[in-house]
Amino acid sequence: MRPPARPTQTTTSKATTPPPVPHLAALLTALLLPLLLTGCGIAPTGYVQAGAPAQGIRQPGTTTYTARIFFLSPLGIHAAVRPADGPVGPQEALDLLLKGPTAAERARGLVSVVPPMSGRLTAVPANGAVSVFLPTPVARMEAAAVHQIACTAANSALPGGRPATQVDVRIYEPESRGAPWTVHCSSNGIALPVTGPEPTRTPGP
């Protein structure tokens, strides 16, 4: 009499899921949390319309240049429009942002929540895009600070003449290994993620 056949054991390989990328999770949380809270009936900052894009360039039919610097008001994100002597590029615009609102802007209730940074906040313009190099991780910033930075860069003078809402703002974080995260600035001053990491093509800051 033959012994009963033993069941054949098959080994199945478990699919391994790569660990989440910390700076991607932080970016998505920082940018989308206010929108998720709003959808639940909670309005943490009450973002308001920031106005039509101006891009810090000469206004049609005039010789006047302006810069749009994004701050936080009691009602939400707000663009402060300042006169300028010429086109205001992204680096100059971010430098103005880091200096904070003027006395007149503070009197209107505008503040900045961009934190002090250990290094320089740098912007490199491209055709219809701008690369922003953050010396501080997104996880250490308030969501409004990310909106301020991205939208100030998007509304600066950039080659290509693309509307501010269509400018690709490529955000590089420390230790991001050269992979940026692209966001677009909406017409009401909110930076929304567009893509995950792009192929490494980091321009020098």
Side-chain angles (χ1 to χ4, degrees):
M1 180 176 178
R2 295 180 180 180
R6 295 181 179 179
T8 303
Q9 293 183 349
T10 58
T11 59
T12 58
S13 59
K14 296 183 180 179
T16 58
T17 303
V21 182
H23 53 274
L24 172 59
L27 180 64
L28 293 177
T29 300
L31 297 183
L32 296 180
L33 181 58
L35 301 181
L36 295 176
L37 293 177
T38 301
C40 296
I42 304 172
T45 55
Y47 297 109
V48 296
Q49 183 72 20
Q55 298 219 9
I57 59 176
R58 185 173 62 85
Q59 301 303 297
T62 71
T63 57
T64 302
Y65 291 85
T66 60
R68 291 171 68 86
I69 313 300
F70 284 73
F71 295 111
L72 190 63
S73 78
L75 297 177
I77 298 295
H78 181 80
V81 181
R82 300 178 182 177
D85 296 331
V88 179
Q91 185 63 61
E92 183 180 356
L94 290 180
D95 290 343
L96 292 173
L97 171 64
L98 292 178
K99 292 179 180 178
T102 64
E105 291 164 351
R106 289 196 300 271
R108 289 159 43 201
L110 301 184
V111 298
S112 177
V113 293
V114 176
M117 298 185 181
S118 57
R120 191 183 185 200
L121 177 62
T122 307
V124 178
N127 189 27
V130 56
S131 296
V132 175
F133 297 84
L134 300 175
T136 299
V138 169
R140 298 181 185 176
M141 298 184 188
E142 295 185 33
V146 182
H147 299 315
Q148 284 185 252
I149 293 170
C151 290
T152 296
N155 281 268
S156 64
L158 296 169
R162 185 179 292 184
T165 54
Q166 299 177 21
V167 169
D168 292 335
V169 183
R170 299 170 184 146
I171 296 181
Y172 294 82
E173 294 188 72
E175 302 179 358
S176 63
R177 299 179 181 178
W181 305 95
T182 301
V183 301
H184 283 170
C185 179
S186 69
S187 60
N188 59 348
I190 298 177
L192 299 174
V194 176
T195 66
E198 298 179 358
T200 302
R201 52 183 183 188
T202 311

